CSV table of all heavy atoms in Angstrom, one decimal:
chain,number,residue,atom,x,y,z
A,117,GLY,N,30.1,-27.4,-43.5
A,117,GLY,CA,29.9,-27.8,-42.1
A,117,GLY,C,30.9,-28.9,-41.6
A,117,GLY,O,32.1,-28.8,-41.9
A,118,THR,N,30.4,-29.9,-40.9
A,118,THR,CA,31.3,-31.0,-40.4
A,118,THR,C,31.8,-31.9,-41.6
A,118,THR,O,32.6,-32.8,-41.3
A,118,THR,CB,30.6,-31.8,-39.4
A,118,THR,OG1,29.5,-32.4,-40.0
A,118,THR,CG2,30.2,-31.0,-38.1
A,119,GLY,N,31.4,-31.6,-42.8
A,119,GLY,CA,31.9,-32.3,-43.9
A,119,GLY,C,33.4,-32.1,-44.1
A,119,GLY,O,34.1,-32.8,-44.8
A,120,PHE,N,34.0,-31.2,-43.4
A,120,PHE,CA,35.4,-30.9,-43.4
A,120,PHE,C,36.2,-32.1,-42.7
A,120,PHE,O,37.4,-32.3,-42.9
A,120,PHE,CB,35.8,-29.6,-42.8
A,120,PHE,CG,37.3,-29.3,-42.8
A,120,PHE,CD1,37.9,-29.0,-44.0
A,120,PHE,CD2,38.0,-29.5,-41.6
A,120,PHE,CE1,39.3,-28.8,-44.0
A,120,PHE,CE2,39.4,-29.3,-41.6
A,120,PHE,CZ,40.0,-28.9,-42.8
A,121,ALA,N,35.5,-32.8,-41.8
A,121,ALA,CA,36.2,-33.8,-40.9
A,121,ALA,C,37.1,-34.7,-41.7
A,121,ALA,O,38.3,-34.9,-41.4
A,121,ALA,CB,35.2,-34.5,-40.0
A,122,PRO,N,36.6,-35.4,-42.8
A,122,PRO,CA,37.5,-36.3,-43.5
A,122,PRO,C,38.6,-35.6,-44.1
A,122,PRO,O,39.7,-36.2,-44.3
A,122,PRO,CB,36.5,-37.0,-44.5
A,122,PRO,CG,35.4,-36.1,-44.6
A,122,PRO,CD,35.2,-35.4,-43.3
A,123,PHE,N,38.5,-34.4,-44.5
A,123,PHE,CA,39.5,-33.6,-45.1
A,123,PHE,C,40.6,-33.2,-44.1
A,123,PHE,O,41.8,-33.0,-44.5
A,123,PHE,CB,39.0,-32.4,-45.9
A,123,PHE,CG,37.9,-32.9,-46.9
A,123,PHE,CD1,36.9,-32.1,-47.3
A,123,PHE,CD2,38.0,-34.2,-47.5
A,123,PHE,CE1,35.9,-32.5,-48.2
A,123,PHE,CE2,37.0,-34.6,-48.4
A,123,PHE,CZ,36.0,-33.8,-48.7
A,124,ALA,N,40.2,-33.1,-42.9
A,124,ALA,CA,41.3,-32.8,-41.8
A,124,ALA,C,42.2,-34.0,-41.8
A,124,ALA,O,43.4,-33.9,-41.5
A,124,ALA,CB,40.6,-32.7,-40.5
A,125,SER,N,41.7,-35.2,-42.1
A,125,SER,CA,42.5,-36.4,-42.2
A,125,SER,C,43.4,-36.4,-43.5
A,125,SER,O,44.6,-36.5,-43.4
A,125,SER,CB,41.6,-37.6,-42.2
A,125,SER,OG,42.3,-38.8,-42.4
A,126,ILE,N,42.7,-36.2,-44.6
A,126,ILE,CA,43.4,-36.2,-45.9
A,126,ILE,C,44.5,-35.1,-45.9
A,126,ILE,O,45.6,-35.4,-46.4
A,126,ILE,CB,42.4,-35.9,-47.0
A,126,ILE,CG1,41.4,-37.0,-47.2
A,126,ILE,CG2,43.1,-35.5,-48.4
A,126,ILE,CD1,41.9,-38.3,-47.9
A,127,LEU,N,44.2,-33.9,-45.4
A,127,LEU,CA,45.2,-32.8,-45.4
A,127,LEU,C,46.4,-33.1,-44.6
A,127,LEU,O,47.5,-32.5,-44.8
A,127,LEU,CB,44.5,-31.5,-45.0
A,127,LEU,CG,43.6,-30.8,-46.0
A,127,LEU,CD1,42.7,-29.8,-45.3
A,127,LEU,CD2,44.5,-30.1,-47.0
A,128,ARG,N,46.3,-33.9,-43.5
A,128,ARG,CA,47.4,-34.2,-42.6
A,128,ARG,C,48.1,-35.5,-43.0
A,128,ARG,O,49.0,-36.0,-42.2
A,128,ARG,CB,46.9,-34.2,-41.2
A,128,ARG,CG,46.4,-32.8,-40.8
A,128,ARG,CD,46.0,-32.7,-39.3
A,128,ARG,NE,44.7,-33.2,-39.0
A,128,ARG,CZ,44.1,-32.9,-37.9
A,128,ARG,NH1,44.7,-32.2,-36.9
A,128,ARG,NH2,42.9,-33.4,-37.7
A,129,ASP,N,47.8,-36.0,-44.2
A,129,ASP,CA,48.5,-37.2,-44.7
A,129,ASP,C,49.5,-36.9,-45.8
A,129,ASP,O,49.1,-36.3,-46.8
A,129,ASP,CB,47.4,-38.2,-45.2
A,129,ASP,CG,48.0,-39.5,-45.6
A,129,ASP,OD1,49.2,-39.7,-45.7
A,129,ASP,OD2,47.2,-40.5,-45.7
A,130,ALA,N,50.7,-37.2,-45.6
A,130,ALA,CA,51.8,-36.9,-46.6
A,130,ALA,C,51.5,-37.5,-48.0
A,130,ALA,O,51.9,-36.9,-49.0
A,130,ALA,CB,53.1,-37.4,-46.1
A,131,GLU,N,50.7,-38.6,-48.0
A,131,GLU,CA,50.4,-39.2,-49.3
A,131,GLU,C,49.7,-38.2,-50.2
A,131,GLU,O,49.8,-38.2,-51.5
A,131,GLU,CB,49.5,-40.4,-49.1
A,131,GLU,CG,49.3,-41.2,-50.4
A,131,GLU,CD,48.4,-42.4,-50.2
A,131,GLU,OE1,48.1,-42.8,-49.1
A,131,GLU,OE2,48.0,-43.0,-51.2
A,132,THR,N,48.9,-37.3,-49.6
A,132,THR,CA,48.1,-36.3,-50.4
A,132,THR,C,49.1,-35.4,-51.2
A,132,THR,O,48.9,-35.1,-52.4
A,132,THR,CB,47.3,-35.4,-49.5
A,132,THR,OG1,46.4,-36.2,-48.7
A,132,THR,CG2,46.6,-34.3,-50.2
A,133,TYR,N,50.2,-35.1,-50.6
A,133,TYR,CA,51.2,-34.2,-51.3
A,133,TYR,C,52.2,-35.0,-52.2
A,133,TYR,O,52.9,-34.4,-53.0
A,133,TYR,CB,51.9,-33.3,-50.3
A,133,TYR,CG,50.9,-32.7,-49.3
A,133,TYR,CD1,50.6,-33.3,-48.1
A,133,TYR,CD2,50.2,-31.6,-49.7
A,133,TYR,CE1,49.6,-32.7,-47.3
A,133,TYR,CE2,49.2,-31.0,-48.9
A,133,TYR,CZ,48.9,-31.6,-47.7
A,133,TYR,OH,47.9,-31.1,-46.9
A,134,GLU,N,52.2,-36.3,-52.0
A,134,GLU,CA,53.0,-37.1,-52.9
A,134,GLU,C,52.2,-37.3,-54.2
A,134,GLU,O,52.7,-37.4,-55.3
A,134,GLU,CB,53.3,-38.5,-52.3
A,134,GLU,CG,54.4,-38.4,-51.2
A,134,GLU,CD,54.3,-39.6,-50.3
A,134,GLU,OE1,53.5,-40.5,-50.4
A,134,GLU,OE2,55.2,-39.6,-49.4
A,135,ARG,N,50.8,-37.4,-54.1
A,135,ARG,CA,50.0,-37.6,-55.2
A,135,ARG,C,49.6,-36.4,-56.0
A,135,ARG,O,49.3,-36.4,-57.2
A,135,ARG,CB,48.7,-38.3,-54.7
A,135,ARG,CG,48.8,-39.7,-54.3
A,135,ARG,CD,47.5,-40.3,-54.0
A,135,ARG,NE,47.6,-41.7,-53.6
A,135,ARG,CZ,47.0,-42.7,-54.3
A,135,ARG,NH1,46.3,-42.4,-55.3
A,135,ARG,NH2,47.1,-43.9,-53.9
A,136,PHE,N,49.5,-35.2,-55.3
A,136,PHE,CA,49.0,-34.0,-55.9
A,136,PHE,C,50.0,-32.8,-55.8
A,136,PHE,O,50.6,-32.6,-54.7
A,136,PHE,CB,47.7,-33.6,-55.4
A,136,PHE,CG,46.6,-34.6,-55.7
A,136,PHE,CD1,46.3,-35.6,-54.8
A,136,PHE,CD2,46.0,-34.6,-56.9
A,136,PHE,CE1,45.3,-36.6,-55.1
A,136,PHE,CE2,45.0,-35.6,-57.2
A,136,PHE,CZ,44.7,-36.6,-56.3
A,137,GLU,N,50.1,-32.0,-56.8
A,137,GLU,CA,51.0,-30.8,-56.8
A,137,GLU,C,50.3,-29.7,-56.0
A,137,GLU,O,50.9,-28.8,-55.4
A,137,GLU,CB,51.4,-30.3,-58.2
A,137,GLU,CG,52.3,-31.3,-58.9
A,137,GLU,CD,52.4,-30.9,-60.4
A,137,GLU,OE1,52.3,-29.7,-60.7
A,137,GLU,OE2,52.7,-31.8,-61.2
A,138,GLU,N,49.0,-29.6,-56.2
A,138,GLU,CA,48.2,-28.5,-55.6
A,138,GLU,C,47.0,-29.1,-54.9
A,138,GLU,O,46.3,-30.1,-55.4
A,138,GLU,CB,47.8,-27.5,-56.6
A,138,GLU,CG,48.9,-26.7,-57.2
A,138,GLU,CD,48.4,-25.7,-58.2
A,138,GLU,OE1,47.2,-25.5,-58.4
A,138,GLU,OE2,49.3,-25.1,-58.9
A,139,VAL,N,46.6,-28.5,-53.8
A,139,VAL,CA,45.3,-28.9,-53.1
A,139,VAL,C,44.5,-27.6,-52.9
A,139,VAL,O,45.1,-26.6,-52.4
A,139,VAL,CB,45.6,-29.5,-51.7
A,139,VAL,CG1,44.3,-29.9,-51.0
A,139,VAL,CG2,46.6,-30.7,-51.9
A,140,VAL,N,43.3,-27.6,-53.3
A,140,VAL,CA,42.4,-26.4,-53.0
A,140,VAL,C,41.3,-26.9,-52.1
A,140,VAL,O,40.5,-27.8,-52.3
A,140,VAL,CB,41.7,-25.9,-54.3
A,140,VAL,CG1,41.0,-24.6,-54.1
A,140,VAL,CG2,42.8,-25.7,-55.4
A,141,VAL,N,41.2,-26.2,-50.9
A,141,VAL,CA,40.3,-26.5,-49.9
A,141,VAL,C,39.2,-25.5,-49.9
A,141,VAL,O,39.5,-24.3,-49.6
A,141,VAL,CB,40.9,-26.6,-48.5
A,141,VAL,CG1,39.9,-27.0,-47.4
A,141,VAL,CG2,42.2,-27.4,-48.5
A,142,MET,N,38.0,-25.8,-50.2
A,142,MET,CA,36.8,-24.9,-50.1
A,142,MET,C,35.9,-25.4,-49.0
A,142,MET,O,35.4,-26.5,-49.0
A,142,MET,CB,36.0,-24.8,-51.4
A,142,MET,CG,36.8,-24.2,-52.6
A,142,MET,SD,35.8,-24.1,-54.1
A,142,MET,CE,34.8,-22.7,-53.8
A,143,HIS,N,35.8,-24.6,-47.9
A,143,HIS,CA,35.0,-25.0,-46.8
A,143,HIS,C,34.0,-23.8,-46.6
A,143,HIS,O,34.4,-22.7,-46.4
A,143,HIS,CB,35.8,-25.2,-45.5
A,143,HIS,CG,35.1,-25.7,-44.4
A,143,HIS,ND1,35.5,-25.5,-43.1
A,143,HIS,CD2,33.9,-26.4,-44.3
A,143,HIS,CE1,34.6,-26.1,-42.2
A,143,HIS,NE2,33.6,-26.6,-43.0
A,144,THR,N,32.7,-24.2,-46.6
A,144,THR,CA,31.7,-23.2,-46.4
A,144,THR,C,30.7,-23.5,-45.3
A,144,THR,O,30.3,-24.6,-45.1
A,144,THR,CB,30.9,-23.0,-47.8
A,144,THR,OG1,31.8,-22.5,-48.7
A,144,THR,CG2,29.8,-22.0,-47.6
A,145,CYS,N,30.4,-22.5,-44.5
A,145,CYS,CA,29.5,-22.6,-43.4
A,145,CYS,C,28.6,-21.3,-43.3
A,145,CYS,O,28.9,-20.3,-44.0
A,145,CYS,CB,30.3,-22.7,-42.1
A,145,CYS,SG,31.3,-24.2,-42.0
Side-chain angles (χ1 to χ4, degrees):
T118 59
F120 178 77
F123 304 150
S125 175
I126 294 284
L127 281 162
R128 293 187 278 193
D129 186 344
E131 186 181 351
T132 300
Y133 310 96
E134 286 161 1
R135 286 183 179 245
F136 295 96
E137 289 170 31
E138 292 181 10
V139 182
V140 186
V141 186
M142 294 182 78
H143 185 206
T144 296
C145 296

